[in-house]
Amino acid sequence: MRNAAQRAIESLRECGAQMGARAQALRAASPGVRMAADERNRTLELCSQLSVVADELASGVAGLDAVNAASTEELQEVLRTLSTLEAQAMEVLASFTSLVEALERAAERDEANEPAYALVIDAAAGMLNSFEKAKSATEALRGMLRKA
């Protein structure tokens, strides 16, 4: 079970790193694409939120590195922490839905808006993929703990 805990910790660490990297890339690229001011502001606000959550994930999993995770109680504590951190990540990732929908509508109205839509959807897809991997690893740990 300790290996499952380590895999879950590493997967969430990677998810946080992915969120931070995508936030920086999106922040850097967004001025170069056509986007309405409201959508640009929402994009930059989401980038800020992503950066904060990425830092929280990094800090949270760093704290787990020190846990021995030798007992069931310690593993359950690791699981609780991972679940809390995942909830924070999911909250900010869910915020992308309305932005993606707004950018999709803008792209449907005017093809010149497609690069902004593609930029944001690509960032969201990469982060969601990384999040799903982390969630799967946490679920594997949860399943092992239920059997123990």
Side-chain angles (χ1 to χ4, degrees):
M1 276 194 275
R2 190 171 186 197
N3 287 339
Q6 289 171 332
R7 279 191 298 278
I9 291 167
E10 271 310 307
S11 293
L12 195 56
R13 185 186 326 274
E14 176 56 35
C15 177
Q18 181 75 236
M19 289 173 76
R22 294 286 179 146
Q24 285 181 324
L26 192 53
R27 188 179 293 117
S30 64
V33 295
R34 182 176 163 182
M35 195 182 303
D38 180 51
E39 288 146 354
R40 185 174 314 282
N41 290 337
R42 287 172 54 196
T43 300
L44 295 174
E45 175 60 29
L46 277 173
C47 287
S48 295
Q49 291 173 9
L50 282 170
S51 294
V52 168
V53 171
D55 289 345
E56 289 174 2
L57 292 180
S59 176
V61 295
L64 292 176
D65 288 335
V67 175
N68 190 13
S71 70
T72 301
E73 291 78 24
E74 287 176 318
L75 288 167
Q76 288 174 336
E77 182 59 34
V78 167
L79 181 60
R80 277 191 291 276
T81 301
L82 290 171
S83 296
T84 299
L85 293 169
E86 283 179 4
Q88 290 175 303
M90 189 61 224
E91 189 176 322
V92 71
L93 291 173
S95 299
F96 266 87
T97 304
S98 63
L99 176 61
V100 166
E101 289 171 352
L103 290 171
E104 182 180 31
R105 285 190 300 275
E108 288 170 351
R109 284 190 307 274
D110 184 349
E111 172 175 302
N113 293 317
E114 283 183 17
Y117 171 67
L119 179 69
V120 172
I121 196 84
D122 181 58
M127 288 183 289
L128 284 171
N129 184 39
S130 182
F131 176 78
E132 286 301 320
K133 288 178 185 175
K135 188 172 178 165
S136 292
T138 301
E139 286 301 318
L141 175 61
R142 181 174 284 115
M144 288 181 180
L145 282 169
R146 282 187 188 130
K147 293 176 186 175

